[in-house]
Every structure is written in structure tokens, then in C-alpha cells.
Amino acid sequence: MAGLLYIVATPIGNLGDISERAIETLKQVDLIAAEDTRHSKTLLERFAIKTNTRAYHEHNEEQLTMQLIEKLINGESIALISDAGTPLINDPGYKLVAAAHDNNIQVVPIPGPSAIITALSASGLPTNKFIFEGYLPPKSEARKMRLSELKNESRTLVFYEAPHRIVESLKIMQEIYGAERRATIARELTKQFEQIVRDTLSALNKKLESEEIRIKGEFVVIVDGAQEVSISDEEVLRINQILSENLSPKEAAGLTAKITGKKKNEVYKLALESGKEN
Ligand code: SAM
């Protein structure tokens, strides 16, 4: 029988956040594949986990994946952990999990902490719909471009950010999204100097400048989505009317739909109904 591949979430700071099931799994597997074996030593020692470890990181992912899959096929069970939080969430493991599925090996998630969900839950910003962008590109121009592309995104935006880039990123966000857009900076979650601040982008920039928000440690930045603009039926009809003066009804409705974000058949219907009333 093939072994199981466990994907085990570990704490993002506070070691007390590990689950009983995670400890049991890490004790019982044949091998722990860890992003950094030295880093994980603290966690494993704290919970008296004596299982053998093997480094599995972005530089050896390619070559090690097949070796681990062979072990699984031969009946060994393996737990994958990263330095902190949930493996694969901006951490190595995707190739291994994909290869496990390709080889009909059962993948068992052991859920637990992840900085995205931890930050969102305390952000005070809408959480019903959100998108996770991971890290923004390191180069300023590419970062500006990505943030511009997200300008009209109405879902809450979640970013991971490094301390040496947070000031510049927040400035660009203010430039592009405006001073009044709300955001939350979540710093050092679950750790001694945890700080979670929700404010407008301009106020957050001032707090970073004055170091009321310290520029140290690990950060998640959450930004309110853009307000959805709702356009009235009268406005849709007015646009359609202007365009109809120079275009065929089909072309006018198509263009009106593009401008207003309505569906083409909705524009037709509105135009038809208003024609009947006149
Ligand atoms: N796999 C991890 C998870 O599930 O959250 C994320 C790994 S990613 C390489 C590391 C980034 O996550 C950090 O740069 C930071 O943006 C965020 N992060 C991790 N721990 C954090 C914490 N305690 N407080 C705030 N952000 C954290």
C-alpha cells in the first residue's frame, strides 16, 4: 500500500497555535520534508518530535519530488511542513502535491495557521470576497503596474509584504487608490509585537512615517476593494441615445454595454421599453 502525504500547517509565530493533530501526524510519519530543517528544529524539539527530517525547498524541489514520490509509492508516509504557516501558500510544495495526485497517492491536509486568514479575520475589512495576491513584484515599475491593474477590483485585496518594501508599496497604493481608501496593516501576527492597524491609506502612510507602525518584522497588507459604481437606467439610456445618433442600434447597444458594464441584451431591453413608453 502506498503511504500518505500529509500537508501540515505549523504556527506563524506563536508555537502554542500548533494543533494536536499536527503534532500527532509529525510524530507518526516516516519522514518530515521541511522547507528549512534548521528552522523547524525549534518546533520539533519543543513538541518532542523525533521523526527524521529532509530539506525540501525551492532549490531542490525539482530533483527531490520524484525521490519523495518513490518513498510514498513504497509505503512510507511523509509530512510536508514549511518554515511557518500552511505549506504551498507562498511556500514550496506545489510540485510534490501535484506529483502525488498524478501517482494516485492520497494527500491529507492538516489545517492550521496561515497569515492570510489570520490577518483577514482581524482586519475589519470585508471578508466575504477577497483575492490573495501574494508578494507584489519587487521592482517599482512592475509593482505600480500590478497595483494599477487592481484599481477597480471590488473584492478585498490581500498582499504579503516585506519590511523593506512596505513604505514604498503603501505610498504607491495611496497614489493609485486615493488617500481615502481603507486598508489594514497586520504586523507580527501571533507574536509579542503584534500590531493590527486599520485606517485610510493616507493615515497609514503617516503612521509608517512616524514609526507608530514599526517597519520591522512580517507584514500582511489588506486593502478595501473599489466601490462598485452603479449606473442608473436613465444614464444607460442617455448614453445609448447619443450613440444611436451616429451608429446602428446594434452598434450603439454594444458600445453602451461596454461603457456601462451592462449586458448588451439589457441595453436593448431598456431601449425597447423606453421606445414603447414614448
Ligand atoms: N505559508 C505562510 C502562510 O501560510 O502564511 C506564508 C509564507 S510567506 C514565505 C511569508 C510571508 O507571510 C511573510 O513575508 C509575511 O508577509 C507573511 N507572514 C508570515 N507570518 C506572518 C506573521 N506572523 N505576521 C504577519 N505576516 C506574516
Side-chain angles (χ1 to χ4, degrees):
M1 272 241 310
L4 302 181
L5 174 63
Y6 295 92
I7 309 302
V8 182
T10 58
I12 55 168
N14 189 326
L15 293 189
D17 291 335
I18 195 156
S19 73
E20 265 182 42
R21 202 171 159 226
I23 297 171
E24 279 316 303
T25 305
L26 294 175
K27 280 185 175 167
Q28 150 253 292
V29 289
D30 297 302
L31 180 72
I32 297 173
E35 185 183 2
D36 180 342
T37 49
R38 273 172 310 173
H39 180 101
S40 296
K41 214 172 156 203
T42 319
L43 176 89
L44 301 179
E45 278 180 357
R46 159 86 180 257
F47 296 101
I49 297 162
K50 300 195 170 67
T51 312
N52 283 339
T53 57
R54 184 99 190 251
Y56 181 83
H57 44 70
E58 56 179 329
H59 305 294
N60 70 358
E61 218 178 353
E62 200 79 54
Q63 88 198 55
L64 207 63
T65 293
M66 275 334 284
Q67 288 183 29
L68 295 180
I69 292 293
E70 270 167 36
K71 284 181 184 293
L72 287 158
I73 291 172
N74 291 331
E76 288 185 46
S77 55
I78 298 177
L80 176 70
I81 59 173
S82 59
D83 286 353
T86 302
L88 280 88
I89 307 301
N90 265 98
D91 271 336
Y94 166 68
K95 287 200 173 86
L96 180 61
V97 174
H101 282 282
D102 289 344
N103 287 278
N104 294 320
I105 287 156
Q106 197 180 335
V107 180
V108 183
I110 310 291
S114 185
I116 316 168
I117 302 298
T118 310
L120 259 179
S121 69
S123 69
L125 293 172
T127 50
N128 52 340
K129 285 185 185 178
F130 64 88
I131 59 161
F132 174 55
E133 276 288 309
Y135 291 104
L136 284 162
K139 295 218 168 106
S140 295
E141 274 316 302
R143 214 164 348 151
K144 267 188 197 160
M145 194 176 290
R146 185 66 197 132
L147 287 169
S148 300
E149 284 163 0
L150 294 166
K151 187 174 179 189
N152 296 320
E153 172 57 61
S154 62
R155 292 168 291 184
T156 298
L157 309 162
V158 186
F159 304 93
Y160 280 167
E161 193 50 285
H164 59 282
R165 296 209 184 98
I166 185 118
V167 171
E168 194 187 345
S169 285
L170 262 282
K171 278 193 187 138
I172 304 175
M173 286 176 188
Q174 179 173 340
E175 258 171 51
I176 298 173
Y177 303 150
E180 292 309 309
R181 180 92 74 103
R182 287 184 315 170
T184 299
I185 294 181
R187 177 182 159 255
E188 293 289 88
L189 291 164
T190 77
K191 301 187 204 175
Q192 188 182 1
F193 297 108
E194 179 177 82
Q195 207 179 7
I196 301 167
V197 186
R198 184 186 74 162
D199 216 322
T200 60
L201 284 170
S202 65
L204 287 174
N205 274 316
K206 286 193 190 111
K207 288 176 186 177
L208 283 169
E209 215 171 285
S210 68
E211 295 230 19
E212 186 182 328
I213 301 175
R214 296 217 44 210
I215 306 165
K216 203 167 176 227
E218 299 193 278
F219 290 86
V220 181
V221 178
I222 302 184
V223 185
D224 210 354
Q227 297 297 316
E228 284 187 54
V229 270
S230 70
I231 187 157
S232 68
D233 288 352
E234 287 74 24
E235 191 58 12
V236 175
L237 278 171
R238 197 180 70 80
I239 294 169
N240 193 52
Q241 185 68 45
I242 295 169
L243 295 174
S244 300
E245 285 166 18
N246 292 305
L247 299 171
S248 73
K250 198 174 161 191
E251 286 169 329
L255 210 49
T256 304
K258 264 196 192 152
I259 294 168
T260 61
K262 293 264 177 200
K263 291 205 174 86
K264 203 167 159 184
N265 58 359
E266 278 181 66
V267 179
Y268 267 138
K269 205 169 145 224
L270 276 174
L272 210 66
E273 280 165 7
S274 85
K276 274 187 210 153
E277 280 165 21
N278 294 332

